[in-house]
Amino acid sequence: MTPEYQVYAVRYATREARRHEHFIGGDPHDAPMPMDYFVWAAVSPERTYVIDTGFTAEVAARRKRDYLRCPVEGLRLLGIEPDAVEDVLISHLHYDHVGSFHKFARARFHLQEKEVHYACGRSMRHERLRHSFEVEDVCGIVRMAFADRVVFHDGDAELSPGVTLHACGGHSMGLQCVRVNTARGPVVLASDVSHF
């Protein structure tokens, strides 16, 4: 029998913004379009997966985001201790999805190999494309790879029964989403595959 997970969404920040601030090239129907920022956890009696790690208070201040709490503190409210987490699934390397990775002392980080190539490659010559990345986050994940703490995936993968990764691309070259088996059936944690 496939294990069933409880899925939790942890809201850690918010932003008052307008439509044109969210889309490359703007939006002719400009209007208020606030945005919330989340990390997720998939928890079964046997294991816990954390999906994305959010950003830090320093990045929130620099990027003018309203920081509600450290994502790790939000996970602790659910009884999830970061030092006990073994697997963190990173949807992509944009600042709001990977910035607090360093707070997970034992975790392996799962991401698409294409995402690291993209974040370290020629596309980062363009300000519009690199704007969503924090160089220290990207360098930190490279350091994790040198410490043998990154699991690179090339396309879809089953991590364990009931938890699968799905390569999507688009928003970022190596964007992936996570499918989790729950008591109600499969839940897809889409991240920025379908943010709005």
Side-chain angles (χ1 to χ4, degrees):
M1 182 171 174
T2 304
E4 293 178 349
Y5 287 79
Q6 296 284 328
V7 175
Y8 299 95
V10 178
R11 181 174 172 249
Y12 70 91
T14 189
R15 172 187 182 199
E16 292 301 321
R18 299 188 65 81
R19 291 183 63 86
H20 79 272
E21 296 174 281
H22 295 298
F23 303 106
I24 293 175
D27 186 326
H29 306 96
D30 197 26
M33 190 177 198
M35 183 165 65
D36 292 322
Y37 296 87
F38 293 89
V39 298
W40 299 271
V43 180
S44 77
E46 291 77 34
R47 66 189 317 158
T48 295
Y49 290 99
V50 170
I51 299 92
D52 288 342
T53 65
F55 51 78
T56 64
E58 295 78 19
V59 168
R62 187 163 14 87
R63 290 183 179 254
K64 298 180 174 60
R65 307 305 189 243
D66 294 318
Y67 202 59
L68 305 175
R69 67 175 55 88
C70 174
V72 167
E73 294 309 314
L75 292 168
R76 280 191 170 119
L77 293 173
L78 298 170
I80 299 168
E81 286 299 322
D83 289 350
V85 173
E86 295 181 3
D87 294 284
V88 173
L89 319 180
I90 302 294
S91 63
H92 60 303
L93 291 175
H94 283 175
Y95 77 95
D96 51 328
H97 298 269
V98 68
S100 294
F101 75 93
H102 59 283
K103 298 183 183 220
F104 295 85
R106 297 179 49 231
R108 291 177 301 258
F109 300 94
H110 296 260
L111 67 156
Q112 294 292 318
E113 186 171 0
K114 284 182 183 178
E115 183 68 359
V116 175
H117 291 206
Y118 178 62
C120 295
R122 71 176 77 191
S123 294
M124 295 304 105
R125 294 177 302 150
H126 305 287
E127 194 283 328
R128 173 54 88 179
L129 297 177
R130 72 176 175 257
H131 172 74
S132 296
F133 295 87
E134 289 284 329
V135 68
E136 291 306 317
D137 296 340
V138 175
C139 291
I141 290 297
V142 171
R143 287 184 190 98
M144 291 293 108
F146 273 75
D148 200 24
R149 290 183 54 200
V150 176
V151 180
F152 293 104
H153 298 277
D154 182 18
D156 299 350
E158 182 178 59
L159 298 184
S160 63
V163 178
T164 54
L165 297 175
H166 301 274
C168 301
H171 177 73
S172 189
M173 187 67 71
L175 178 63
Q176 63 184 354
C177 66
V178 181
R179 185 175 183 262
V180 180
N181 188 53
T182 73
R184 292 180 6 184
V187 169
V188 174
L189 301 172
S191 182
D192 287 357
V193 174
S194 179
H195 188 98
F196 293 114

